[in-house]
Amino acid sequence: MSKLTLLASRSATLALLGVAALGLSACAGKEKPKADLAASQVTTIGVNSYLWRASLDALSFMPLLQADSSGGVIITDWYANPANPGERMKVTVSILDRDLRADAIRVAASRQVSQGGAWVDAPVQAATVQKLEEIILTRARDLRRGAIEG
């Protein structure tokens, strides 16, 4: 190699090292970015934590029979509203994804009415299940928004 080629190669190497050092020094005074607490996927449990917490909040008035955070299933025991003791409800919430999306949650409800001292299955209005899903999704979004602003 000629002296000129060797000198050019060294100059290029030094120039690259200088640019890299300058780039690194620019980062020295800055704080590392905080983790996005409001990411759509929150993986500390098996399902989206905002949907999980929102579901537990929405069903907090009902006795829980099972709550499996890794599988994303919440099952309540029968609940009778004190204002209407002749009717009782049981709810199952399934969280299907780690993303905070409307189709990541499924709610199923069972209803029974008292007839002659025995509980008899009765239909559940579709609007009841839809309203509960809306309540959970709204609460999950509020929790996520609070994590962003907090």
Side-chain angles (χ1 to χ4, degrees):
M1 266 167 103
S2 72
K3 286 185 179 181
L4 186 57
T5 307
L6 187 59
L7 185 60
S9 176
R10 279 190 181 163
S11 295
T13 303
L14 288 174
L16 284 174
L17 286 174
V19 169
L22 183 62
L24 289 175
S25 68
C27 295
K30 293 184 181 176
E31 206 175 293
K32 289 183 180 179
K34 293 181 182 176
D36 182 12
L37 294 176
S40 66
Q41 292 187 354
V42 180
T43 56
T44 56
I45 59 176
V47 295
N48 185 278
S49 69
Y50 300 120
L51 287 173
W52 179 256
R53 286 187 288 165
S55 298
L56 288 175
D57 286 354
L59 300 174
S60 64
F61 67 96
M62 300 179 84
L64 291 181
L65 194 60
Q66 178 183 352
D68 176 14
S69 64
S70 61
V73 177
I74 300 170
I75 302 173
T76 69
D77 204 354
W78 289 104
Y79 170 77
N81 184 343
N84 188 8
E87 175 182 277
R88 66 183 188 174
M89 297 279 296
K90 185 175 189 172
V91 176
T92 300
V93 175
S94 301
I95 301 171
L96 308 171
D97 202 339
R98 290 184 174 179
D99 287 335
L100 177 52
R101 301 183 335 206
D103 62 350
I105 190 163
R106 181 175 300 140
V107 176
S110 300
R111 178 176 166 254
Q112 291 183 338
V113 292
S114 178
Q115 289 182 350
W119 291 104
V120 179
D121 289 337
V124 177
Q125 293 180 359
T128 302
V129 172
Q130 289 172 345
K131 183 66 176 171
L132 188 52
E133 286 179 354
E134 288 174 20
I135 289 168
I136 292 170
L137 287 167
T138 300
R139 177 69 178 135
R141 289 182 191 117
D142 290 345
L143 289 169
R144 182 175 185 264
R145 194 173 304 116
I148 292 172
E149 295 168 358

